Structures are given as structure tokens and as C-alpha cells.
């Protein structure tokens, strides 16, 4: 088996310093997936069945499931937005193209608030078994919609759970991506060498993530989320006295945006804000700072090949 790295930094990470000599970079990631879930009503092959009430409906449109996802844009996003705005915090919105196509006001509000809008695929779907041409089209279509909704192309990409062996290569070939988050293997960014130079990977996390409210994941109350994220923060903050550290906190509008859970996010944020030398940053800003700390050249997007979505270069 090739292409795997179990060693990483071997407990000797680069001595990159975060802006303002912060001990810890905190990345808040708000996943915008609602409208991109599988549904027969949108012509998909089946209905989604990953949500609070797990009961897959086969052969007909699942209006109950659709309403679970609709909660996010209608009620969850306004709550999360208010929490971030009241604390002057910037986050990264991991946005599916089809979700933003259906809820464009979320992208507009995010840009107005200073958040980053990154790409989370066209549909809320895995890329693991995609054919090359299908994956190219998904990337191109997502970039087009997010660019139209925000005015600028996304600089980051994060595929839902499972990538294809070619996902990262396609992002690099596309030319417009500063980083991807298609990894879960470290508490720090790292770079991978490519034909186009070093590419930044910002690992994501499924433990400091509100998805653990679902399907027996361990969180029952907002306090569970707060305590778990605070424990992660405290450990990484302590380690940050001698080495850089990064904490990713994953949020979903239909999950943490519920009234009984949003207080858990507020409690975590207020705990973190009570500490000095903590840098709340977008993932793009973290990737740029990491490149700078490593002494790499400034990143500039390259033009996407005009035939990118049509197939591999000949």
C-alpha cells in the first residue's frame, strides 16, 4: 500500500508562528448542505436518510426529510449568524453548490459579514466512486455557482467524507484552490508536493463537530458539545505554548442551530474568547499564514483550463 503517511511531523512540527503570536488557530466551519441533500424531488437517484429521524423513504418523495434540511436555512443559519456577528468572529462556510443555488442569500450574508465561502462539492455527496469526467464537472459547476453568488471564486475545497483518488489532483489542475480539507490526520496544516508546487492541506475533524448529535454520536445536550470542544481547546492551547496548533470546529445549520443546542456553541466561543493569543481565522487565512510561515511563495490562483470540465488533458 503506497501513498500513506503515518509519521507526519513526528512530534517536531515546523515552528510556524500564527499572526500576533497566537498559540492556537481556531477554525469555525459552518457547513451549508441544505438543498444539496439527496431527494427524489430534485431528480436524484434516491432520498437522503442521514438526519435526525433515520427512516429512509424509498420510491417516493420524502417531504419529512426535506423539512428537516429546510430547518437550517430558515431558523438555524440566522441563529448561527447572530452568534458569530455578536462576537465579531469570522468563519468558513463549507458550501455545496446546489445548496447555494437554492439559498443564495446565505452566501450574500456570509460575504457581508466577512466570512469565507469555500466549496463543499456540488451536491452533498461522496466522490469516492466518481468517474473522472463526473468529478471534473462537479468541481467546475460548484465553482461557477459559488463565484456567481459571492463575486469571487472559492479558494478551499472539502469533499463530503470520501474523496476519489483523483480529487486533490483535479483541484490542483483546476488552479483556483489554495487548500483542501480532504484529510483528518493531524492537528496542523501540512503541504503536499505537486507538479504545480506545494499544496496546503488543512485537516478537518469529526469529533469537535456537531454531527455527533446524530445517530448515537454521543452528544445529547448543548453542554456536551461545549464541554468536548472546550476540552480540545484547552489541550491544544496548552500545547500551543511550544508549537503551533489548530482546532477545527464543525457546525451545521440544521444541527447546532436548534434552540437547545446553540447555547453550547456560545459557551465554547466565550470560553475561547476569554483567553489571549487565540486566533479565530478563516481556513483560507490559516492556509496563507502556513505558507508564509514555511517561507513559501505567495499563492496566486492560476486560470482554470478552458476544457477542464470536458475531460483529462490529452
Amino acid at each position: 500500500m503506497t501513498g500513506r503517511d503515518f509519521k507526519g511531523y513526528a512530534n517536531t512540527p515546523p515552528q510556524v508562528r500564527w499572526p500576533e503570536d497566537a498559540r492556537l488557530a481556531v477554525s469555525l466551519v459552518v457547513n451549508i448542505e441544505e438543498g444539496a441533500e439527496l431527494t427524489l424531488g430534485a431528480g436524484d437517484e434516491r432520498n437522503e436518510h442521514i438526519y435526525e429521524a433515520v427512516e429512509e423513504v424509498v420510491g417516493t418523495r420524502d417531504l419529512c426529510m426535506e423539512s428537516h434540511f429546510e430547518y437550517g436555512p430558515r431558523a438555524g443559519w440566522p441563529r448561527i449568524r447572530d452568534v458569530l456577528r455578536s462576537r465579531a468572529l469570522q468563519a468558513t462556510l463549507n458550501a455545496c453548490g446546489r445548496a447555494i443555488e437554492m439559498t443564495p442569500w446565505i452566501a450574500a450574508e456570509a460575504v457581508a459579514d466577512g466570512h469565507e465561502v469555500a466549496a463543499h462539492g456540488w451536491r452533498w455527496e461522496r466522490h469516492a466512486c466518481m468517474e473522472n469526467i463526473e468529478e471534473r464537472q462537479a468541481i467546475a459547476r460548484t465553482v461557477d455557482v459559488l463565484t456567481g453568488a459571492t463575486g469571487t471564486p472559492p479558494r478551499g475545497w472539502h469533499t463530503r467524507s470520501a474523496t476519489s483518488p483523483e480529487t486533490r489532483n483535479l483541484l490542483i489542475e483546476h488552479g483556483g484552490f489554495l487548500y483542501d480539507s480532504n484529510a483528518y490526520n493531524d492537528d496542523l496544516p501540512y503541504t503536499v508536493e505537486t507538479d504545480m508546487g506545494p499544496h496546503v492541506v488543512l485537516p478537518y475533524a469529526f469529533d469537535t463537530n456537531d454531527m455527533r448529535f446524530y445517530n448515537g454520536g454521543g452528544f445529547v445536550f448543548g453542554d456536551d458539545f461545549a464541554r468536548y470542544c472546550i476540552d480540545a481547546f484547552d489541550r491544544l492551547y496548552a500545547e500551543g505554548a511550544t508549537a503551533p496548533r489548530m482546532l477545527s470546529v464543525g457546525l451545521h445549520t440544521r444541527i447546532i442551530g436548534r434552540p437547545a443546542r446553540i447555547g453550547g456553541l456560545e459557551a465554547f466561543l466565550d470560553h475561547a474568547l476569554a483567553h489571549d493569543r487565540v486566533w479565530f481565522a478563516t481556513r483560507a487565512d490559516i492556509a496563507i499564514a502556513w505558507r508564509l510561515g514555511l517561507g513559501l511563495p505567495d499563492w496566486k490562483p492560476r486560470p482554470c483550463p478552458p476544457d477542464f470540465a470536458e475531460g483529462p488533458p490529452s
Side-chain angles (χ1 to χ4, degrees), residues 10 16-17 73 207-208 230 239 256 268:
V16 172
R17 301 312 307 172
D207 64 325
T208 47
I230 286 170
E239 293 176 357
I256 201 69
F268 162 70

Side-chain angles (χ1 to χ4, degrees), residues 30-161:
V30 183
N31 293 278
I32 306 298
E33 300 161 346
E34 294 77 13
E37 73 280 1
L38 290 163
T39 169
L40 292 179
D44 296 327
E45 63 272 20
R46 61 178 176 83
N47 291 315
E48 190 60 60
H49 64 282
I50 300 177
Y51 52 101
E52 299 228 43
V54 182
E55 182 181 340
E56 186 173 12
V57 174
V58 178
T60 190
R61 187 173 173 184
D62 186 350
L63 298 179
C64 178
M65 177 276 296
E66 291 178 14
S67 72
H68 276 283
F69 279 84
E70 289 163 8
Y71 185 91
R74 292 167 63 110
W77 164 246
R79 279 199 188 97
I80 294 171
R81 186 187 184 203
D82 286 347
V83 166
L84 297 177
R85 291 178 75 187
S86 67
R87 292 162 177 79
L89 296 176
Q90 274 67 57
T92 293
L93 271 65
N94 260 6
C96 294
R98 196 171 81 177
I100 292 300
E101 187 175 62
M102 298 185 72
T103 59
W105 66 87
I106 293 179
E109 291 172 351
V111 170
D113 291 351
H115 301 307
E116 173 196 7
V117 179
H120 197 27
W122 170 248
R123 211 174 60 181
W124 190 47
E125 61 188 344
R126 299 174 177 89
H127 281 224
C129 297
M130 280 189 179
E131 297 292 336
N132 185 283
I133 186 66
E134 181 185 6
E135 189 163 22
R136 286 172 178 274
Q137 291 169 350
I139 292 170
R141 194 177 186 186
T142 303
V143 171
D144 286 348
V145 167
L146 297 188
T147 302
T150 66
T152 57
R155 293 180 288 176
W157 180 279
H158 182 198
T159 299
R160 173 188 171 184
S161 301

Side-chain angles (χ1 to χ4, degrees), residues 33-34 68-69 72 124 214 252-256 258 261:
E33 300 161 346
E34 294 77 13
H68 276 283
F69 279 84
W124 190 47
Y214 275 19
H252 299 75
T253 60
R254 66 188 182 278
I255 304 178
I256 201 69
R258 293 278 177 176
R261 296 170 179 163

